[in-house]
Amino acid sequence: MRFFNTIILLAFIILLQIFLSTRKSKWCGLILPIISFLFALVIVPLNMMAPPTGIDFSYIVKMIVTFLVFNIPTIFFYIIYRVCRKNKEK
């Protein structure tokens, strides 16, 4: 049941992004990518606790990887936005 609910939620979010991306204003389609990017900016510092010995190279690499992983939805939303806007212009 949990898997089914997750699939429905993902489908709803993708359909919402498509709907927003096809609106007349180009800013509507950028709402979800911006929210997703801001979420990544907030969650990375909250997710990464500073090591007791100080910040070293591995800590910085972990922060960068975490930031990139949390921005996968941002990239996905932006690709949907660009495809919908390109189709709308034609």
Side-chain angles (χ1 to χ4, degrees):
M1 189 68 178
R2 185 179 221 178
F3 178 74
F4 183 70
N5 290 342
T6 303
I7 296 297
I8 289 180
L9 179 64
L10 287 174
F12 173 75
I13 291 172
I14 290 170
L15 290 174
L16 177 64
Q17 177 61 23
I18 292 170
F19 174 76
L20 291 173
S21 297
T22 56
R23 299 298 95 201
K24 194 172 193 174
S25 172
K26 67 178 183 177
W27 292 104
C28 288
L30 292 174
I31 291 172
L32 290 180
I34 290 171
I35 290 172
S36 178
F37 181 74
L38 293 175
F39 177 74
L41 285 177
V42 170
I43 203 69
V44 169
L46 294 177
N47 193 28
M48 303 293 295
M49 292 179 41
T53 58
I55 296 175
D56 58 351
F57 181 72
S58 66
Y59 178 77
I60 293 171
V61 170
K62 287 178 188 176
M63 282 190 75
I64 291 171
V65 169
T66 304
F67 181 73
L68 292 175
V69 167
F70 275 99
N71 271 306
I72 291 172
T74 305
I75 295 166
F76 187 68
F77 290 143
Y78 188 71
I79 289 170
I80 292 173
Y81 169 76
R82 293 300 298 167
V83 167
C84 289
R85 293 306 287 184
K86 183 186 278 189
N87 291 339
K88 187 172 173 69
E89 290 173 3
K90 288 184 180 180

